[in-house]
Amino acid sequence: QVQLVESGGGSVQAGGSLTLSCKASGFRLDDGDMGWYRQAPGNECELVSTISPDGTTYYADSVKGRFTISQGKAQNTVYLQMTTLKPDDTAVYYCTAERLNVRFVVKRPGCNIWGQGTQVTVSS
């Protein structure tokens, strides 16, 4: 069954770090781009980062230099390393995939079509 399962969210103080994981099943990472979106209450679903099968990456300006996306193809898992976290990073983070017919536009009305996501809370 095609599935993406996010994990690794939590509560941290500003300046701290977290690493999120997204394990894919039912397809391979080489099948297309993978990416992370996030959504805070009242906000649109915002594209955070993407990675292509050849390793090409994209980052939103708001996270560039602080977040790093990577992939472990043997584990069929995508990671998002987040450092120097800010309160504005507080959101539910969602993993999705081009293989699932998702086009990585920078903003979407909502992220909830992709399941529960994982909550990241950054306190000041």
Side-chain angles (χ1 to χ4, degrees):
Q1 189 174 41
V2 174
Q3 190 173 17
L4 296 170
V5 179
E6 303 101 334
S7 63
S11 181
V12 298
Q13 292 182 304
S17 301
L18 285 172
T19 298
L20 308 182
S21 298
C22 171
K23 183 174 177 59
S25 59
F27 67 97
R28 310 303 299 180
L29 299 187
D30 279 339
D31 291 342
D33 292 357
M34 302 289 294
W36 292 90
Y37 280 85
R38 67 185 182 185
Q39 187 165 29
N43 291 352
E44 292 182 296
C45 181
E46 174 190 23
L47 181 61
V48 176
S49 183
T50 65
I51 187 165
S52 67
D54 70 0
T56 303
T57 58
Y58 160 87
Y59 297 95
D61 288 344
S62 59
V63 307
K64 194 172 183 65
R66 300 188 297 118
F67 290 13
T68 302
I69 191 169
S70 61
Q71 57 192 339
K73 292 186 178 181
Q75 298 78 32
N76 221 39
T77 300
V78 175
Y79 305 94
L80 186 68
Q81 296 175 265
M82 306 184 296
T83 64
T84 320
L85 283 161
K86 305 175 181 179
D88 285 349
D89 296 318
T90 296
V92 179
Y93 284 71
Y94 300 84
C95 176
T96 191
E98 184 181 11
R99 174 62 176 78
L100 302 180
N101 297 316
V102 173
R103 183 174 180 179
F104 288 108
V105 294
V106 296
K107 292 182 179 179
R108 305 178 67 91
C111 298
N112 59 353
I113 60 171
W114 299 314
Q116 296 297 308
T118 186
Q119 176 73 51
V120 172
T121 302
V122 184
S123 61
S124 60

